[in-house]
Amino acid sequence: MMETVSYQIQAIPEKRLFDITCTIPNPDPLGQKVLLPAWIPGSYLIRDFARYILTLQAYYLGRAITMQMLDKHTWLCEPTPGPLMIHYQVHAYDLTPRGAHVDSTHAFFNGSRLFLQVCGQENTAVELEIIPPAEDPKYHQWRVATSLESAGAKPFGFGLYKAQHYEDMIENTVEKG
């Protein structure tokens, strides 16, 4: 039985980046392949979103494991017998509807720009936890606008959202500010 693939995302306005964690409860026992799309739904030009990834590391039980780059946007994680966590940071300075942008006034992202696709689990249910920016008081009034379905988050609030599958998640933009 497939379990929910979960993502956590936090904007770091001072560094103009998003900090993201993807947790895969049942990775492929031969090694989990992940990719960042080079396209966006509705606009099928090659956009090479992976070039904005600043850091990328996989972990099993808190221990770093090997990730092999297969091409410019696909990686293969070392096989693990249990849950796999991938932590990465993405630079966000693209202020277009197809991009990701964060600064001290707001944060916006289109899911295909930021969320790794778990190959072979594209139809697995997805949870997305949107974490507020740092504890700086200037971010306390930020609200979240998205068409993702709440999985506990209050209206316009930070917290947990859900999608039926990966494509459903990346077709929903998020604006915070």
Side-chain angles (χ1 to χ4, degrees):
M1 180 179 130
M2 292 287 197
E3 294 181 40
T4 303
V5 172
S6 63
Y7 297 82
Q8 289 183 323
I9 186 166
Q10 182 178 34
I12 304 177
E14 294 77 19
K15 295 184 179 179
R16 297 191 68 168
L17 60 83
F18 286 101
D19 190 75
I20 304 162
T21 301
C22 173
T23 303
I24 307 161
N26 296 305
D28 185 326
L30 301 176
Q32 182 62 59
K33 192 182 293 186
V34 295
L35 66 86
L36 190 63
W39 53 269
I40 190 166
S43 177
Y44 297 100
L45 296 174
I46 298 300
R47 302 203 181 269
D48 191 20
F49 294 136
R51 67 185 162 149
Y52 300 107
I53 294 176
L54 299 176
T55 64
L56 178 68
Q57 181 62 59
Y59 298 90
Y60 170 67
L61 297 178
R63 178 181 62 85
I65 64 166
T66 303
M67 291 185 80
Q68 176 187 0
M69 188 173 214
L70 302 178
D71 60 36
K72 66 181 181 178
H73 68 193
T74 309
W75 296 266
L76 178 63
C77 299
E78 171 185 337
T80 63
L84 174 66
M85 184 185 80
I86 302 173
H87 179 253
Y88 57 109
Q89 294 184 325
V90 180
H91 199 219
Y93 57 86
D94 180 7
L95 192 54
T96 71
R98 295 167 301 280
H101 186 267
V102 61
D103 62 25
S104 63
T105 64
H106 83 123
F108 167 82
F109 63 83
N110 196 306
S112 60
R113 169 74 156 67
L114 297 178
F115 297 121
L116 291 172
Q117 177 180 328
V118 180
C119 299
Q121 297 190 34
E122 294 86 348
N123 294 318
T124 301
V126 175
E127 288 184 340
L128 172 62
E129 182 180 10
I130 303 174
I131 301 169
E135 293 299 318
D136 191 317
K138 67 182 169 188
Y139 304 122
H140 289 180
Q141 299 302 314
W142 277 27
R143 299 177 71 186
V144 175
T146 182
S147 55
L148 285 166
E149 184 178 345
S150 172
K154 294 180 180 174
F156 302 105
F158 290 91
L160 200 58
Y161 292 85
K162 64 182 177 180
Q164 293 179 5
H165 46 72
Y166 177 80
E167 190 171 323
D168 185 32
M169 179 180 65
I170 67 168
E171 289 184 348
N172 292 276
T173 58
V174 175
E175 171 75 28
K176 302 178 277 185

